[in-house]
Each structure stands twice: as C-alpha cells, then as structure tokens.
Amino acid sequence: MTFMKFMNPIFRYRSQILSNNLFCQQIRTCKTRQSAVTKSVKTEVDTNVKPIGEKVKETTKTASYLGIILLGVGVTGTLFYAVFHELFSSKSPNNVYSQAVERCKSDVRVQDKLGLPISAFGAETSRRRRQHVSHIIFQREGRQCIRMKFYLKGSFHQGTVQLEMIQNDSGNYEYRYMFIQVDDLLQTTFILEDNRDKFTSAPQLELSL
C-alpha cells in the first residue's frame, strides 16, 4: 500500500505529460491542415484571378477580331451584290450584250449574210482576248442610257453591231437603235431596231467607244 501511494503521483504526472503531448500533436496536425488549405486557396486564387490589365487586353483583342469579322462580312456582301447586279440586272451591260447578241442571231437577214454558225465577241485586248465589250453609260435628260459596240462573225462574213438603249418611263431599257454593218464590198447595213422618232426630244450626242 505504501508503495502504491508513493507511485500514484508519478503515474498521474506521467498521464498528464502524455495528455499534453497528445494535445500538442493534435494542435500541430490542425495547423498543418490549415496551412495546406490556405496554400490551396492561394494557389487557386492566383490561377483563376487575372489582373485588370490582362482582362482589358483580352477584351480589346476580342473586339478587334469581331470588327475584322464584321468588315469581312460587309465586303463579301458588297461583292455578292455587285456580281448579282452585273449578272442578273436587266440594265447591266452583260445582260444588254446577251440580249442584243440573241436579237442579231435570230434575224434571218443576218443569218443569210454572215452565214451560220454566228459567234459574238468584243474588242481585242492587248492580250489578244476578245471578251471586252466596248460600252459607255451616260445621262440624257435625266434618263440613263447605254451605248455599246461588239462584233459578229459567221462562216461568210464578219459584221460590227452598234446599239443605243435609253431608260423608258417604267425604268427599263428600250432600244433607241441597233444596226449591224457587214464587212463586205458594199458595207451592207441591216437596221434591227430604230426608235429614234420616239425620242426626238433627246439631243443627238456623239460619244465614241
């Protein structure tokens, strides 16, 4: 009994020391975990949050790209409109030329004189191409007019076609005149359209092609 009474204080002191050590260890563990969480949060913040200057640069870059895209769409739309107008508008030089060629080819006098088949072409360029059709667009008394010259070639002869069209009251082109002069000895001329009397109020303009 005396020995146990003597050892009791020692056991209690030892238990307190063990308890204190365990408590300290728990505190260190909590601090370690807290430090790890803090580092994780800092890393996450540093990764995801960008400076204001960088955000401004990215916004400016995005706006620039958007402006370039819109400009490209605008230019493409303008080109498509120009091509559509040139190919499908009834008043485009291309359509005037196509209709005049068909009108000449369908004339029996032209067929007999030039000979079949008949081909049409424009003036010869410096590259020896004959795709350029000479034409001029001008205004006469507030009405748009077009004057054009091209060539026809058959198996017998070749001829030069000259025409002029003027805008009527409905806004469409109408022939003022169209004739073909054949390159033969007599310089034979066939008048396919002659409506000059209809436009007598229009002054005569000499426009060279």
Side-chain angles (χ1 to χ4, degrees):
M1 290 293 292
T2 303
F3 176 76
M4 292 302 294
K5 287 182 180 181
F6 175 77
M7 294 298 294
N8 280 336
I10 296 175
F11 290 149
R12 284 197 300 272
Y13 179 73
R14 184 179 179 184
S15 298
Q16 289 178 359
I17 291 175
L18 292 175
S19 298
N20 291 336
N21 289 338
L22 182 60
F23 180 73
C24 292
Q25 186 176 358
Q26 290 178 349
I27 291 176
R28 285 196 296 270
T29 303
C30 290
K31 286 184 177 180
T32 302
R33 291 178 179 175
Q34 185 177 1
S35 176
V37 171
T38 303
K39 288 181 179 178
S40 176
V41 172
K42 286 183 178 179
T43 303
E44 189 173 331
V45 169
D46 292 340
T47 303
N48 297 330
V49 177
K50 296 181 179 179
I52 296 177
E54 189 174 347
K55 288 184 177 180
V56 172
K57 289 182 180 179
E58 289 185 356
T59 303
T60 305
K61 187 183 295 185
T62 303
S64 300
Y65 289 156
L66 181 60
I68 293 173
I69 292 173
L70 292 178
L71 179 62
V73 171
V75 171
T76 303
T78 303
L79 291 176
F80 272 117
Y81 173 79
V83 172
F84 178 84
H85 184 270
E86 177 66 22
L87 294 178
F88 300 104
S89 174
S90 60
K91 295 193 296 183
S92 69
N94 184 70
N95 259 357
V96 171
Y97 170 70
S98 299
Q99 293 175 8
V101 169
E102 293 302 319
R103 175 72 177 82
C104 293
K105 287 183 175 182
S106 62
D107 191 284
V108 178
R109 297 170 300 169
V110 176
Q111 295 176 1
D112 292 339
K113 187 65 178 178
L114 298 185
L116 297 176
I118 299 174
S119 60
F121 53 91
E124 187 174 291
T125 64
S126 58
R127 297 182 178 180
R128 307 190 66 82
R129 294 180 180 178
R130 296 183 173 184
Q131 297 178 351
H132 175 70
V133 178
S134 300
H135 70 277
I136 184 172
I137 298 175
F138 58 96
Q139 293 287 329
R140 174 184 284 164
E141 291 188 348
R143 296 174 184 263
Q144 181 172 298
C145 304
I146 183 171
R147 186 173 290 180
M148 183 176 293
K149 183 169 93 171
F150 60 91
Y151 305 93
L152 296 177
K153 185 176 182 181
S155 57
F156 301 148
H157 297 286
Q158 179 173 312
T160 302
V161 180
Q162 297 193 54
L163 66 90
E164 182 178 310
M165 301 187 80
I166 186 170
Q167 195 177 43
N168 57 23
D169 294 335
S170 61
N172 298 318
Y173 272 152
E174 186 175 345
Y175 284 107
R176 184 167 179 266
Y177 64 80
M178 180 168 64
F179 65 89
I180 174 172
Q181 188 174 23
V182 182
D183 296 339
D184 59 0
L185 294 176
L186 300 177
Q187 294 291 296
T188 306
T189 300
F190 296 117
I191 298 175
L192 281 71
E193 297 283 351
D194 188 4
N195 297 313
R196 287 173 292 180
D197 293 340
K198 186 177 179 179
F199 304 100
T200 52
S201 60
Q204 300 292 326
L205 295 181
E206 294 298 330
L207 300 177
S208 59
L209 293 177

